[in-house]
Amino acid sequence: MRNKDVVMTRHYSVLGVGLGPFNLSAAALLAPHTQTISSLFVEQKPRFAWHPGLLLDDAKMQTSYLKDMVTAVDPTSPYTFINYLVKTKKFYPFTARGEQTVSRLEFSDYMAWVAHQLPNTQFDTPVVNITPHGSGFAVNTPHGQLTCDHLILGTGTQPFMPECAEPFVGEQVFHASELALRQPDLRGKNVAIVGGGQTGADVFQHLFDGEFGKVAHIDWVSRRPNLQGLDENPFTDQYFMPDYAEQFHGLDPKVKHTQLAQQKLASDGITENCLQGLYQRLYHDRYVRRSPPWWRLLPGQTLTGMQSHASGYQLTTSATLTGDIATIDADVVILCTGFSRALPQCLGTLRDCLDLDDKGRPSVNAHYQVRMREGYAQALYMMNVGTHCHGIIEPQLSLAAWRAATIINAINDTPLYDIAHHHGLLDWTLTASSPATPKMQKVAGW
């Protein structure tokens, strides 16, 4: 890891902006090749941080720890999760846990362990703007200017706030991504949780257990029709394999849109363990302890309005099934409403160079390179902006190493990683020439 005070006048083959999990994977896979490909990955934060406000004690990963930053394409790398366990002296205790999943806290610690020992990462380095520079880019920071031939952007997402809640965001109305950082005192408070995915379930569980003090009442509001489980059967997992990602990229945009809607619960449901734990807690509280009513689960309710009053906030909801309008009073509102993707501010000076669609989204090819407008030939690669191009796998960790290796191979004249793969057990298409022998269609770049 470089010190921010290093004079930054050097030209790099590859420059990465942002150090979330996806760019971290690229940095780790490029680290062994610094003699042939010079690279630097800069991050504005002083240390690695992966949604620190969501690192609640019981929050579990939905992805196998084997799908770490490097293992899928380079299992001999010193930056594997297994090597992290060995180097931190907890390999044997870890294997004795009897669990298949790891906590978000531990996986975050692993990624920080990787980030702060890499030779090609630099923290505390915000990017002011990015401009074309010859056949590459100039990246301007408060510490100087960097130039590069290839730019990899991995600046992450932004918390999504419902429009009706935006005017009230503050100490008592906030996004769940801030919860663990705020450590609010919720003793005696009426709390409304908005959002029915895994984050909503994690927040409800922690409030129910008194993590932030004994609350007076919890209303958990979700527009989903029920508490819907994550679809995590082994055949659903075929969506998270390279062959499907390649196939999806070549589909018609209208087909992609339909597929994304159908696959929602493959990546955006609540884990079975979490649902079982929640149900057992609620059953014990209501039918064994016979507690007075102090919580409500309210699926099928869409938040349509919000107002403040002397004692807190009033939320207005509309029932999906009946259209009935109801109100909920709360002292504190926690928004578990997910994240949105938008071009980062540092790309403002490049916006006119990018070929954006009618929704302002970049077009990303099979190698994650962004299409530039006519007259611009710079090589810009972007992570986690192309769900509309690559499918539900785009924001997930499952193919992080494969995706990073795909970009690195596209950048280098000779591929550095063998990312050829056996396709999964499902044949997604049949070729017209040989219907008896299904094969995957070859996907072109553009």
Side-chain angles (χ1 to χ4, degrees):
M1 180 180 68
R2 293 171 178 263
N3 187 287
K4 69 174 182 178
D5 295 325
V6 172
V7 177
M8 299 194 301
T9 56
R10 185 176 171 186
H11 178 83
Y12 294 91
S13 299
V14 177
L15 191 64
V17 175
L19 263 171
F22 300 139
N23 259 6
L24 180 60
S25 180
L29 291 173
L30 279 168
H33 305 285
T34 53
Q35 298 302 313
T36 53
I37 302 180
S38 60
S39 65
L40 180 67
F41 288 74
V42 298
E43 165 61 44
Q44 65 177 346
K45 298 184 182 71
R47 297 190 60 79
F48 180 85
W50 180 50
H51 295 310
L54 288 173
L55 295 181
L56 303 171
D57 283 343
D58 293 332
K60 300 290 186 182
M61 294 290 295
Q62 295 181 345
T63 304
S64 167
Y65 58 82
L66 291 177
K67 296 178 179 180
D68 59 22
M69 300 296 95
V70 292
T71 295
V73 297
D74 186 7
T76 64
S77 167
Y79 307 116
T80 65
F81 185 83
I82 297 299
N83 195 43
Y84 156 78
L85 294 176
V86 172
K87 295 298 185 182
T88 54
K89 308 301 182 185
K90 57 181 181 180
F91 176 83
Y92 292 107
F94 179 87
T95 57
R97 298 173 316 128
E99 292 182 275
Q100 296 298 313
T101 58
V102 300
S103 68
R104 288 178 62 90
L105 274 169
E106 185 163 33
F107 203 78
S108 178
D109 188 64
Y110 152 68
M111 291 190 289
W113 174 83
V114 172
H116 291 287
Q117 64 176 308
L118 285 172
N120 57 346
T121 60
Q122 181 166 296
F123 290 84
D124 205 9
T125 306
V127 170
V128 178
N129 59 55
I130 303 170
T131 57
H133 181 81
S135 60
F137 298 94
V139 176
N140 297 294
T141 81
H143 312 303
Q145 186 183 79
L146 299 166
T147 60
C148 65
D149 299 317
H150 307 88
L151 182 66
I152 306 178
L153 205 65
T155 53
T157 55
Q158 300 298 320
F160 174 77
M161 306 289 192
E163 185 176 353
C164 63
E166 285 183 349
F168 309 105
V169 170
E171 286 299 313
Q172 307 305 322
V173 179
F174 55 88
H175 196 269
S177 59
E178 302 175 16
L179 180 59
L181 296 176
R182 286 175 175 262
Q183 291 291 313
D185 182 359
L186 300 180
R187 288 175 295 180
K189 300 291 181 66
N190 295 323
V191 182
I193 300 170
V194 179
Q198 181 68 51
T199 299
D202 287 339
V203 171
F204 180 90
Q205 175 179 295
H206 280 75
L207 267 59
F208 186 94
D209 291 348
E211 179 78 16
F212 305 101
K214 177 62 176 175
V215 301
H217 190 87
I218 310 172
D219 282 312
W220 183 9
V221 179
S222 171
R223 64 184 176 187
R224 301 186 187 201
N226 201 337
L227 300 190
Q228 295 178 300
L230 182 70
D231 184 357
E232 49 186 344
N233 78 70
F235 290 98
T236 298
D237 204 43
Q238 305 297 298
Y239 292 142
F240 301 91
M241 294 189 179
D243 67 315
Y244 185 77
E246 292 174 342
Q247 173 69 24
F248 187 94
H249 186 270
L251 296 175
D252 180 90
K254 292 182 180 179
V255 177
K256 289 181 180 181
H257 181 76
T258 300
Q259 290 297 301
L260 286 171
Q262 293 176 350
Q263 296 166 10
K264 181 178 177 64
L265 292 179
S267 64
D268 193 21
I270 305 170
T271 63
E272 181 65 22
N273 285 341
C274 183
L275 288 173
Q276 288 286 352
L278 281 174
Y279 191 88
Q280 290 163 6
R281 285 172 169 84
L282 300 178
Y283 175 87
H284 185 76
D285 186 71
R286 175 165 293 179
Y287 299 112
V288 180
R289 295 183 61 195
R290 295 184 173 88
S291 300
W294 66 281
W295 48 264
R296 291 189 298 180
L297 308 186
L298 302 168
Q301 299 286 337
T302 299
L303 178 67
T304 58
M306 188 169 169
Q307 293 180 328
S308 62
H309 52 66
S311 59
Y313 305 91
Q314 185 178 79
L315 284 64
T316 303
T317 65
S318 174
T320 303
L321 295 179
T322 64
D324 291 344
I325 304 299
T327 58
I328 296 169
D329 289 317
D331 303 310
V332 176
V333 181
I334 303 177
L335 302 167
C336 305
T337 45
F339 296 84
S340 61
R341 294 169 183 81
L343 291 179
Q345 187 174 357
C346 65
L347 269 189
T349 47
L350 274 185
R351 189 178 183 90
D352 291 341
C353 309
L354 308 179
D355 186 8
L356 306 176
D357 67 12
D358 57 359
K359 295 182 180 179
R361 303 174 301 189
S363 177
V364 184
N365 77 359
H367 307 299
Y368 298 90
Q369 183 176 350
V370 175
R371 186 196 296 271
M372 308 294 282
R373 288 185 175 174
E374 187 176 351
Y376 298 94
Q378 286 82 3
L380 169 63
Y381 299 84
M382 293 185 73
M383 307 263 203
N384 199 11
V385 297
T387 300
H388 61 294
C389 294
H390 290 275
I392 60 171
I393 191 61
E394 182 69 356
Q396 307 298 319
L397 287 174
S398 295
L399 291 185
W402 174 82
R403 173 171 47 193
T406 298
I407 293 173
I408 292 169
N409 284 355
I411 287 171
N412 202 47
D413 293 334
T414 304
L416 295 178
Y417 290 101
D418 180 5
I419 55 174
H421 51 82
H422 300 287
H423 70 66
L425 297 179
L426 301 180
D427 292 298
W428 300 104
T429 60
L430 290 172
T431 60
S433 59
S434 181
T437 308
K439 296 180 181 179
M440 294 299 296
Q441 293 179 348
K442 183 175 178 60
V443 178
W446 274 313

